Every structure is written in C-alpha cells, then in structure tokens.
Amino acid sequence: MPSSIPTIADLMADCTRSAVHLEMRDHYGVAAEADEFREWLQTGSVDTDPGSPGWAPWVDLVSSAVARGVVVRRARIVSEPVTDYIRYEHASTVVNVHAGEQVRWLPRRRASDIALPGNDFWLFDDHLIRWGFFSGNGALVGHEISKDPVAAKLCAEAFDAVWARATPHDHYQIH
C-alpha cells in the first residue's frame, strides 16, 4: 500500500460535515491493542480514561472535529453472542462517546437484507472513502482512499441503513 494514504487525523482535519465509520468484523487483531486486550481478558479492566496516553489523541481529534460542527458516527455490525473482542470494544466505547462520537450497534442477523461494502470504511463528507483492509485473523493489512462516487453512494446508503436499525451504545446490551 502506498505510504501517501492520508491518516484519519488528516482526513478528519479536512472534514467539514460528517465522518462515519462502519465496522463489520467480530475481531480485530490490531497490534497496538494486543497488550490491552490481553489484560482485559485476564482482569476485565480496560482503559476508559479519556486523558490517558492511549486515548487522548483520539479524544482530541474527535472533540475538535465535533466542535467545528462535524458529526462523527460509528456503527458496528456484530454477531451474537458477541466475541470477547466485541465485549472489550463495548467496555471501552464510553471513551468514544465522551469524545463526541455517536456509536450504535447492530446485531448481524438484523443486517441480512442491507447491501454492505466488502470492507470496513470511513466516509468523510459523503464523498471520500478510506477503506480498511484486514487479514483473516483481523490484522490490519492496509488502507486505500477512494473518491469513486458509486462506492461513496454505496457506503453512505449502507451506513444510513445500518444506523437506522442499530441500537445506541447506551442501550445496547451485550449478549
């Protein structure tokens, strides 16, 4: 993958209206989270301090975007019963919400009739997509930027359909 792929921070800084993120995997093997996930599995304890070194950059990024009027939404499609990884994500999502993200959860069985893209994505201002590519075991393998209007329309429609059916974080009960 080219190293010229803009970061989420770069894309969020240029965003003026909306940033939406659709996550569709039941496990992410992101190296940066490995130690914290392992600790959570062992102790049930997860970092939920918005000012911690692990969270502060994200909290600053999102809260700055929201302060500029950008609506930041994240939807997660999950299998139920959920995986340990989804339990871990759910436990730490309070920080995403604190930062200003709106987060919703949709059980996969309720997404069967929604046309979904093949990969997770961020969609900025309804026209710029940052695809996220993962290996079978959930390791991040790269990103790609697309301004394809057909793909952007698919992403926007898929996200909106998921969002309309999904349960807000504060009301989603882990099964």
Side-chain angles (χ1 to χ4, degrees), residues 16 25-27 34 41 48 51 55 58 67 72 81 83-84 90 92 94 97 124 134 147-148 155 158 171:
T16 61
R25 297 183 57 89
D26 287 319
H27 181 82
L41 285 171
T48 57
W55 277 111
W58 184 252
V72 181
T83 62
D84 285 340
H90 189 270
S92 64
V94 63
V97 173
F124 296 92
F134 297 88
K147 293 182 180 179
D148 176 6
C155 290
H171 295 102

Side-chain angles (χ1 to χ4, degrees), residues 14-75:
D14 291 340
C15 189
T16 61
R17 294 182 319 279
S18 68
V20 300
H21 186 37
L22 184 60
E23 298 177 5
M24 298 180 283
R25 297 183 57 89
D26 287 319
H27 181 82
Y28 292 89
V30 179
E33 295 176 341
D35 290 340
E36 185 175 299
F37 179 55
R38 196 169 21 262
E39 180 179 331
W40 178 84
L41 285 171
Q42 294 170 353
T43 68
S45 177
V46 66
D47 178 12
T48 57
D49 176 3
S52 72
W55 277 111
W58 184 252
V59 170
D60 291 345
L61 180 67
V62 172
S63 60
S64 293
V66 170
R68 291 192 329 268
V70 176
V71 176
V72 181
R73 297 182 295 163
R74 178 186 305 254

